[in-house]
Amino acid sequence: MLTLLGAAPLAAGTMLAASGSAQAGTDSARPGAPEALLPGGEFDRYLARLAAQDEFSGTVVLRQRKRTLLRRSHGFANLRCSIPNEPDTVFCTASITKLFTQAAIAQLIEQDKVASDGTVGTYLDGFPPEIADVVTVEQLLTHTSGIGRPANQMVEIPGSDEWDGLDEILAGTLDYIRGLPLNFPPGSQYEYSNDGYTVLGGIVDQVCEELSYHDYIRQHVFRPFGMTNSDFYTAAQWGDIRRRLARPHAQDGTGQWVDIGDVSNSYLGTPAGGAFADAQDLVRFVEKTFDDTERHVHGGAPGLSTDLIWFTESSVLAVILSNYDHAAQPVVTKLQELVK
């Protein structure tokens, strides 16, 4: 499964508040760890400065050889209700969700229930012959299928505001994709495709007849990887303040951060983006699946910005989860400057 996960690039993930006091929680750092990444170091001070300037809200965890170097949370999970982000706050992961879909497909390939060279029509009905008989699972994984809307043209699907529940979202999105023409001949080029991963989720859903896609991920990815705070949620659940879910925030015309959760939920719960997890759950997943290949996996959606970075030479892992638009990017840039 590790080989299969490493084979599918996810580096271009596009999908789908005032700063509070930092929640400091850090394990004893491993001797020889980069000083700039330790508590009080250059990166810690930089992150605190971003938060103080109201440019970052979220959680960052830095690890090296399975030991925590730094864990910080800043800002508010719910600005309107003054609920702070904390180390166990759960964020919508946006396109990082594709890693979980990838893992599910890899497991099914290992079990001979899916073949990497199997075509879409082998597993799903209703696609035209030029897709059903030609596009392969491997092409879907590697964004070379030509299926679906280009990532920069993810217009809302007509009638999607009336869908109720995760299964209906998946089924409705698949029906819409079935009616779209190919963007290019399968296998001829690379174009990042959220819809391609929705098709992969449909394959998981169809092959595992006893489980929906979402239940399969819960039982065969989240549970065995020890991801106890990870799940899929509906828009209504996202709005429940009793849950530790970070709400998405974007800047309005005056530069103020506003909660946009009520208008930014069309991507929730899809195999392409929308699973929820806290930072420690993502640490558990990455440390059990990433190999010696340097990886940078990020996701973005209105009001959300997420990143996973694995620096193989220094064995440093960074997990960045933010509920501010584009807030992870400067954090990533600073890390790339400091981690050699």
Side-chain angles (χ1 to χ4, degrees):
M1 186 174 74
L2 301 182
T3 302
L4 288 165
L5 286 173
L10 287 174
T14 56
M15 216 357 252
L16 76 284
S19 73
S21 59
Q23 305 293 322
T26 310
D27 300 340
S28 56
R30 189 179 185 90
E35 186 173 331
L37 306 184
L38 296 177
E42 183 175 351
F43 176 78
D44 194 12
R45 298 194 303 272
Y46 173 78
L47 189 66
R49 186 162 62 251
L50 286 182
Q53 295 168 350
D54 201 18
E55 296 175 9
F56 180 81
S57 173
T59 294
V60 175
V61 174
L62 304 182
R63 299 265 290 179
Q64 185 182 48
R65 301 182 185 92
K66 299 187 178 182
R67 297 287 297 275
T68 300
L69 304 179
L70 184 73
R71 184 188 295 116
R72 290 288 186 263
S73 293
H74 293 278
F76 292 99
N78 189 320
L79 183 58
R80 287 182 295 189
C81 298
S82 299
I83 299 174
N85 282 317
E86 298 180 351
D88 63 350
T89 296
V90 176
F91 293 79
C92 181
T93 63
S95 281
I96 287 174
T97 302
K98 291 182 176 69
L99 288 175
F100 311 140
T101 301
Q102 234 181 57
I105 290 291
Q107 291 171 354
L108 296 174
I109 289 174
E110 281 192 332
Q111 298 165 20
D112 293 326
K113 295 180 178 179
V114 171
S116 60
D117 60 354
T119 60
V120 168
T122 305
Y123 311 103
L124 294 173
D125 297 329
F127 284 89
E130 62 270 22
I131 293 176
D133 300 337
V134 179
V135 173
T136 67
V137 169
E138 182 176 3
Q139 290 168 346
L140 293 169
L141 285 168
T142 56
H143 301 278
T144 59
S145 69
I147 279 183
R149 297 159 289 175
N152 61 352
Q153 299 177 23
M154 293 290 286
V155 296
E156 186 174 352
I157 299 173
S160 60
D161 56 340
E162 298 179 2
W163 293 344
D164 182 24
L166 298 172
D167 293 341
E168 191 170 347
I169 290 171
L170 177 56
T173 306
L174 279 173
D175 283 344
Y176 181 78
I177 296 170
R178 285 182 173 98
L180 298 177
L182 284 168
N183 297 311
F184 52 82
S188 66
Q189 66 184 71
Y190 173 95
E191 183 177 80
Y192 190 85
S193 175
N194 291 301
D195 287 339
Y197 266 73
T198 298
V199 175
L200 287 170
I203 291 173
V204 173
D205 193 89
Q206 184 66 28
V207 169
C208 304
E209 296 179 356
E210 73 283 4
L211 294 173
S212 68
Y213 163 82
H214 302 93
D215 284 339
Y216 183 92
I217 298 297
R218 290 178 178 118
Q219 295 187 27
H220 295 283
V221 178
F222 293 160
R223 185 179 298 171
F225 284 99
M227 301 171 68
T228 55
N229 288 325
S230 297
D231 208 340
F232 292 93
Y233 294 103
T234 64
Q237 290 171 318
W238 201 3
D240 186 346
I241 63 172
R242 293 171 296 180
R243 300 175 185 271
R244 302 188 312 276
L245 306 182
R247 299 278 293 175
H249 295 82
Q251 288 181 311
D252 63 15
T254 68
Q256 296 297 308
W257 293 102
V258 294
D259 187 320
I260 62 169
D262 295 334
V263 295
S264 180
N265 52 43
S266 61
Y267 51 80
L268 287 184
T270 79
F276 286 76
D278 66 10
Q280 192 57 42
D281 276 1
L282 292 178
V283 166
R284 294 186 183 100
F285 180 84
V286 169
E287 290 184 343
K288 291 180 180 179
T289 58
F290 281 19
D291 54 19
D292 293 333
T293 303
E294 192 147 310
R295 305 287 295 276
H296 181 191
V297 181
H298 67 275
L304 304 169
S305 185
T306 60
D307 266 272
L308 299 177
I309 312 177
W310 170 229
F311 300 95
T312 55
E313 186 173 343
S314 57
S315 298
V316 169
L317 166 66
V319 175
I320 305 161
L321 298 174
S322 178
N323 58 330
Y324 272 10
D325 258 343
H326 310 296
Q329 283 87 325
V331 179
V332 169
T333 299
K334 188 64 174 180
L335 280 170
Q336 291 172 328
E337 171 191 324
L338 296 174
V339 179
K340 308 299 182 184

